[in-house]
Amino acid sequence: MGVRQGNAYGIFFDNTFRSNFQFGKFNDGFYSFGAPGGELNYYFINGPRPKRVVGTFAALTGRTPLPPLFTLGYQQCRWSYMSEARVREVTSGFRKRSIPADVIYLDIDYQDRNRPFTVNRQTFPTLEQMVKDLGQEGWKTVLITDLHIAAVPGYKPFDEGNKAGYFVKNPDGTNFVGPVWPGPSVFPDFTRSEVRKWWGSLYADFVKMGVRGFWNDMNEPSVFFRADKTMPLDVVSSVEGRKTDQREIHNVFGLENVHATYEGLLALAPDVRPFVLTRAAYAGAQRYAATWTGDNQATWNHMRLSLPTVTGLGVSGYAFVGVDVGGFSGSPTPELLTRWTALGTFLPIDRNHAAKGTRDREPWVDGPEHEAIRKKFIEERYRLLPYIYTSMEETSRTGVPLMRLMVLDYPDDPRMTGREAEGQYMFGNNLLVAPKVKEFVDGYDMLVPEGVWFDYWTGQRVALTNQDNPEMKGKLHLNPKLDEIPVFVRAGSIIPRQPLVQNTSEKPKGPLELRVYPGPKCMDYIYSDDGSSFGYKRGEYYRAQLSCESSGNSVKVAIAAGEGKYIPWWTSYNMVVADAPKAPASVAVGGQPVSNFHYDAKSKSVSVTVPFSQAPNEVVIQY
Ligand code: GLC
């Protein structure tokens, strides 16, 4: 994507061969791209605005489907929780301490000798029962199921696939065998629909057990003990009968792997939104799987890289993305893990993961002070779920990612196309996040976009100081303490929040909070559905437009008539209107004056309870 003076265009080079891109390497007056094979097939997308480029690219390659709600909760992973006992210890550790969480992952060691679709019955003797018990406690289990199949007779996936000739071949027609986690392995030829169908059927037992998601790792495909760490270029695939090799297929191997997994899961449970996590992808893979940024390191530098990598994926059509919170290899310091946990709250996927041989990463491992801070931020994620879910639903229709580059929302601000903007991002339409990502700094400056901004945590207007210093013009100096992450709200937004729950299968008790920040272009939505089925495609959802308007000494907030057949969980709203100059002279709900409002002088806000109704409703505050 190129952006110049607020105008943007996109180029999508749709070629699966090894591609090269030269960005001004020889001459900064031009860039070029190419590939050694295939068609010179590229799309030029005329924005003219950056958001349009991203949206059009998503329309072309496919949008990220609405994810199941639980995937937006906190996810705990590690390589590996080695036994049922350890898994239960970790999951009950969360519940005992009332730290909300939804997902527990089992990495490769739950398997028999690392063989996909098997279970090590020594260490996981009653996996079925465990999955069931955890389900009762509001946990969803996600299993890793890599694509490499151990090349050993007697192992069902090998026997079946071998007999049918489903694995990729050497040029001489024998199976290509390469070592990965299970030792010498073969690889399904996912470019054939027949093979994809068979692969999908391998999930039947796990789906029956109630396993709710699957992790397709190593699907570049990864092959050990080779300099290129992948398959030789002459390994043969038969794309629906047309023979070709890795030169053409390498870049789409991961895509076709998750294509197979996603469709297999749909075939096994047609009314359940699948959750698949992939490491490798090609344009379009977002239709089938979420991704993460791979094996990062437990360093400040890699925490900093979470921002450009996730926002970069976001403008490349990949909206549902996480990073290993805490860093995969190496062990984070307590401070780094705490800062990263805070950042995790404001990432599309909030997943804590760790490599074998590194220290424990569960939120409580560094003593009570760090635990309390991490808990506070994980709780904030759960409170913010209505906003996050509503934003993801919008993403599923528009392709504009939840976590996004500043330039998507502020294309006319030339600062936002530069490196300087790399340390901050928009989270949905209304939140601006500027985390501390450098260790040894005495604070840092955030670029403040046009308009008025509020501090998300205090509800106060942001006051820009030092504005006569040209260096600080339009900037805000930040120096967040260990228990803080700077988040700001755009004036002209309505942020829905919910009462705290311990996991997403728990129904929130109490009203839905609507935090109103009066200002221009105040138009948002609230969206809700059952969180897991495809009912929303049949009209079983709830969506209402929210808007606000301020003029002189009054603020009007409107909740439009609800759309859809779904009845959301809340029966009332707690509306909190920020930026109140003084105690209101009157408050009216649906045209009727009410007295049950409250003015908080400290946060300068007015709160009022508004009953839920399917019909349009309106609150007017007169100061
Ligand atoms: C790869 C993955 C990592 C996983 C490990 C073991 O390195 O990227 O996330 O834990 O394999 O399965």
Side-chain angles (χ1 to χ4, degrees):
M1 181 165 83
V3 185
R4 190 179 293 169
Q5 289 168 355
N7 289 320
Y9 65 89
I11 294 176
F12 167 36
F13 183 37
D14 189 11
N15 182 307
T16 72
F17 286 74
R18 179 193 300 267
S19 309
N20 60 74
F21 299 84
Q22 305 281 6
F23 290 106
K25 186 172 178 201
F26 304 115
N27 173 333
D28 64 12
F30 68 89
Y31 60 83
S32 63
F33 53 89
E39 290 173 13
L40 181 61
N41 200 354
Y42 64 91
Y43 298 80
F44 182 86
I45 303 170
N46 179 27
R49 302 300 256 173
K51 255 189 200 166
R52 267 302 273 286
V53 173
V54 175
T56 305
F57 178 68
L60 181 65
T61 61
R63 300 184 183 96
T64 301
L66 179 61
L69 180 61
F70 77 87
T71 59
L72 298 172
Y74 178 85
Q75 310 193 8
Q76 185 65 48
C77 190
R78 101 152 279 131
W79 175 23
S80 298
Y81 293 122
M82 295 300 285
S83 66
E84 262 180 60
R86 179 66 183 137
V87 173
R88 286 177 190 270
E89 184 183 20
V90 168
T91 51
S92 60
F94 279 87
R95 295 295 181 250
K96 203 163 68 197
R97 295 173 175 87
S98 301
I99 301 175
D102 266 81
V103 185
I104 185 83
Y105 282 74
L106 303 189
D107 204 331
I108 51 176
D109 296 284
Y110 80 90
Q111 305 169 130
D112 174 22
R113 287 161 286 176
N114 295 339
R115 294 178 184 177
F117 306 102
T118 66
V119 177
N120 180 343
R121 290 295 176 183
Q122 247 85 61
T123 48
F124 287 84
T126 56
L127 179 70
E128 294 78 352
Q129 193 58 43
M130 187 193 89
V131 171
K132 217 182 262 159
D133 293 347
L134 293 182
Q136 298 282 314
E137 293 156 27
W139 288 94
K140 305 287 189 293
T141 304
V142 174
L143 297 182
I144 200 166
T145 50
D146 290 346
L147 75 182
H148 37 246
I149 297 295
V152 277
Y155 164 49
K156 198 168 148 240
F158 176 76
D159 289 345
E160 280 181 12
N162 192 38
K163 191 156 158 239
Y166 284 165
F167 303 123
V168 292
K169 304 278 185 258
N170 292 310
D172 68 3
T174 56
N175 285 336
F176 167 75
V177 180
V180 207
W181 300 124
S185 303
V186 291
F187 302 79
D189 185 356
F190 295 105
T191 66
R192 296 165 56 190
S193 54
E194 199 191 342
V195 177
R196 288 199 296 273
K197 212 158 164 199
W198 166 72
W199 172 264
S201 74
L202 298 175
Y203 287 90
D205 291 347
F206 287 151
V207 168
K208 216 185 304 145
M209 258 181 228
V211 174
R212 192 56 183 87
F214 296 94
W215 178 15
N216 287 159
D217 188 23
M218 309 297 272
N219 50 3
E220 289 77 16
S222 195
V223 178
F224 293 164
F225 312 124
R226 289 180 50 84
D228 57 11
K229 298 182 187 296
T230 191
M231 280 178 194
L233 292 174
D234 61 3
V235 169
V236 179
S237 283
S238 306
V239 188
E240 306 302 1
R242 176 178 67 86
K243 286 215 166 29
T244 182
D245 61 26
Q246 280 287 298
R247 271 171 269 260
E248 179 181 353
I249 299 306
H250 172 85
N251 282 352
V252 284
F253 216 82
L255 163 75
E256 292 301 353
N257 173 212
V258 293
H259 181 187
T261 305
Y262 184 86
E263 295 203 328
L265 295 175
L266 272 189
L268 292 163
D271 202 26
V272 178
R273 292 177 221 166
F275 175 59
V276 182
L277 186 65
T278 185
R279 198 170 69 177
Y282 181 81
Q286 67 271 11
R287 288 169 292 167
Y288 310 123
T291 193
W292 86 109
T293 58
D295 297 348
N296 60 358
Q297 297 165 11
T299 61
W300 279 81
N301 194 33
H302 274 211
M303 178 170 71
R304 181 181 63 79
L305 283 174
S306 309
L307 274 53
T309 50
V310 176
T311 53
L313 280 158
V315 290
S316 312
Y318 239 102
F320 200 34
V321 183
V323 307
D324 289 353
V325 167
F328 179 72
S329 44
S331 292
T333 60
E335 175 178 0
L336 181 61
L337 183 53
T338 296
R339 297 269 186 194
W340 215 327
T341 304
L343 173 58
T345 292
F346 300 96
L347 294 175
I349 293 179
D350 186 6
R351 174 173 173 268
N352 172 307
H353 184 39
K356 202 163 240 187
T358 66
R359 77 180 182 96
D360 287 348
R361 305 291 164 87
E362 296 72 33
W364 53 84
V365 295
D366 293 311
E369 189 202 350
H370 284 282
E371 179 183 329
I373 300 170
R374 294 169 190 168
K375 178 177 172 178
K376 175 180 92 170
F377 285 115
I378 296 171
E379 288 178 344
E380 191 57 36
R381 171 113 185 155
Y382 279 80
R383 292 201 160 99
L384 200 54
L385 274 177
Y387 175 79
I388 297 175
Y389 194 53
T390 299
S391 299
M392 281 308 296
E393 196 275 335
E394 191 179 321
T395 293
S396 74
R397 285 180 289 113
T398 63
V400 177
L402 167 62
M403 174 163 168
R404 58 183 91 141
L405 290 171
M406 295 300 301
V407 72
L408 294 196
D409 288 279
Y410 298 96
D412 295 318
D413 186 338
R415 302 175 302 168
M416 300 306 177
T417 51
R419 277 288 196 28
E420 230 191 333
E422 222 177 65
Q424 62 191 80
Y425 60 93
M426 294 300 292
F427 192 62
N429 293 319
N430 303 318
L431 300 182
L432 196 180
V433 186
K436 175 173 172 166
V437 289
K438 288 184 183 156
E439 185 172 17
F440 300 111
V441 291
D442 204 8
Y444 52 95
D445 298 333
M446 179 185 99
L447 303 172
V448 183
E450 64 182 13
V452 171
W453 291 82
F454 292 89
D455 183 315
Y456 175 76
W457 306 103
T458 64
Q460 304 282 358
R461 250 176 200 253
V462 173
L464 296 189
T465 52
N466 295 329
Q467 292 301 288
D468 15 307
N469 172 355
E471 293 255 297
M472 287 308 292
K473 192 116 192 71
K475 293 182 190 171
L476 184 65
H477 187 74
L478 303 169
N479 197 3
K481 300 197 195 73
L482 182 63
D483 63 347
E484 295 173 338
I485 179 169
V487 179
F488 302 93
V489 196
R490 193 179 65 81
S493 56
I494 302 179
I495 310 283
R497 281 169 93 252
Q498 69 179 27
L500 183 61
V501 290
Q502 292 302 309
N503 59 78
T504 60
S505 24
E506 202 181 305
K507 193 171 139 179
K509 288 179 203 69
L512 181 78
E513 185 183 51
L514 293 180
R515 286 195 183 171
V516 181
Y517 302 85
K521 291 192 224 148
C522 181
M523 220 266 279
D524 284 299
Y525 286 92
I526 174 70
Y527 176 86
S528 179
D529 62 20
D530 70 16
S532 69
S533 80
F534 286 103
Y536 71 96
K537 293 197 167 175
R538 302 182 294 263
E540 288 149 32
Y541 66 90
Y542 175 82
R543 183 191 294 116
Q545 196 187 79
L546 312 170
S547 58
C548 73
E549 228 178 280
S550 48
S551 59
N553 56 355
S554 75
V555 176
K556 185 167 95 184
V557 187
I559 305 171
E563 229 183 85
K565 290 183 287 199
Y566 185 76
I567 312 284
W569 56 263
W570 60 91
T571 55
S572 65
Y573 298 95
N574 176 28
M575 194 178 283
V576 184
V577 182
D579 212 23
K582 56 182 185 215
S586 71
V587 175
V589 176
Q592 300 300 316
V594 295
S595 55
N596 67 337
F597 62 86
H598 173 75
Y599 170 66
D600 185 70
K602 198 166 152 247
S603 64
K604 292 207 179 128
S605 64
V606 177
S607 53
V608 57
T609 301
V610 180
F612 171 79
S613 86
Q614 294 282 3
N617 206 351
E618 192 177 274
V619 175
V620 178
I621 301 175
Q622 297 277 356
Y623 294 108

